[in-house]
Amino acid sequence: TPAIEVRDLHVTLGKAAILRGVDLTVEAGSWVAVIGPNGAGKSTLLRAIGGLLPTGGAVSLMGTPLERLRRRTRARMVATVAQTPVVPPGMSVFDYVLLGRTPFVSLLGRESAADLAAVTALLDRLDLAGFGDRELDTLSGGERQRVFLARALAQEPSLLLLDEPTSALDIGHQQEVLELVDTLRRDQGLTVLATMHDLSIAGGYADRLVLLADGAVVAAGTAREVLTEEILSRFYKARVKVID
Ligand code: ADP
Ligand code: MG
Ligand code: MG
């Protein structure tokens, strides 16, 4: 069973048809990058797959149609990291990550010792030991992105949806975060669907690329198949460099 299966997905926002019949299959354990020019509908596609938008067409996660998944089941199965997550002012890194694990009880202070231990282990895993007491808005871009990932992973999701996970980072930190995502995918069998702005980086990490333009998939396949001069010059206004 594919981890994500999307058939003839339509999304209309206001009066505009934003997604116009998208088909997409993401095999379990793979990393698929959604690329495409600004405004193509990449973020909208992720939000629709995460169950955050009314849609036409069919989305199945781990073989179950989205509308048949209970809210809590879905919330555990899919973790989404938005392009610019909302950072609650004054909240500590530890509490923020804990909320990913226990959204219903931690506000009451009734999280278990196991939950606390799990968050501690996760902070360790993401090189954030010692950051637990810091407030989120005191962190650097790279540290903050690792905290967002930690919170997503605290859900123990099967699917990780990332919206331009490195757009706020310099090149060194971009690679650090993407390497981390890749390691987590291999170690934990996660499936990753990420919108990615930088084509060569997308091609370097993802197993498959899906090129979205004007709300439709116009090319899909390996980096070699999709990142051709011919395809890119057709769908990107600015000239982009092709990798070989
Ligand atoms: P991308 O992530 O590829 O840059 P988006 O999915 O963010 O594209 O947006 C696709 C299109 O949908 C854009 O033209 C955007 O202006 C439009 N759009 C996004 N959200 C809304 C909304 N709430 N209402 C109307 N149009 C929207
Ligand atoms: Mg955009
Ligand atoms: Mg976007």
Side-chain angles (χ1 to χ4, degrees):
T1 330
I4 302 173
E5 191 143 40
V6 172
R7 288 291 163 261
D8 198 26
L9 183 69
H10 288 259
V11 170
T12 302
L13 297 173
K15 284 184 187 153
I18 308 296
L19 296 181
R20 303 177 297 115
V22 170
D23 291 322
L24 173 72
T25 302
V26 181
E27 297 302 335
S30 71
W31 178 331
V32 170
V34 181
I35 59 172
N38 247 331
K42 303 181 295 296
S43 298
T44 304
L45 176 60
L46 279 202
R47 290 170 61 219
I49 290 171
L52 304 177
L53 288 174
T55 63
V59 176
S60 291
L61 302 180
M62 312 302 283
T64 307
L66 200 53
E67 66 275 9
R68 293 231 313 269
L69 286 169
R70 301 183 52 203
R71 256 176 68 91
R72 268 202 200 194
T73 312
R74 190 188 72 212
R76 205 154 253 294
M77 184 184 281
V78 192
T80 303
V81 180
Q83 190 170 351
T84 344
V86 177
V87 176
M91 185 175 266
S92 74
V93 166
F94 192 95
D95 284 346
Y96 181 76
V97 174
L98 181 64
L99 265 179
R101 187 174 172 87
T102 60
F104 303 103
V105 300
S106 59
L107 290 175
L108 305 172
R110 290 195 196 133
E111 60 278 351
S112 68
D115 288 329
L116 299 177
V119 170
T120 302
L122 206 46
L123 293 180
D124 264 359
R125 178 77 185 76
L126 298 200
D127 273 331
L128 291 165
F131 284 79
D133 291 333
R134 292 271 294 276
E135 285 182 21
L136 266 98
D137 32 21
T138 69
L139 303 181
S140 75
E143 290 161 356
R144 200 186 284 212
Q145 197 60 32
R146 293 209 302 280
V147 172
F148 296 146
L149 280 175
R151 180 188 164 121
L153 292 168
Q155 285 176 235
E156 300 181 345
S158 322
L159 310 174
L160 195 53
L161 307 183
L162 306 173
D163 198 358
E164 302 204 11
T166 62
S167 59
L169 305 178
D170 59 56
I171 188 83
H173 287 110
Q174 287 180 18
Q175 278 168 2
E176 177 192 293
V177 165
L178 294 170
E179 285 296 335
L180 179 62
V181 170
D182 203 42
T183 305
L184 293 165
R185 164 172 81 118
R186 286 170 203 284
D187 290 357
Q188 310 188 9
L190 275 170
T191 304
V192 178
L193 180 65
T195 70
M196 298 176 80
H197 198 71
D198 185 305
L199 298 181
S200 57
I201 289 185
Y205 284 92
D207 304 308
R208 295 180 70 251
L209 303 181
V210 172
L211 172 56
L212 206 62
D214 200 13
V217 174
V218 293
T222 62
R224 192 171 290 278
E225 290 163 344
V226 175
L227 300 181
T228 67
E229 189 86 52
E230 197 238 325
I231 291 177
L232 296 181
S233 64
R234 191 141 39 108
F235 295 104
Y236 284 83
K237 285 198 196 87
R239 191 182 156 72
V240 288
K241 200 163 160 277
V242 181
I243 33 170
D244 42 23

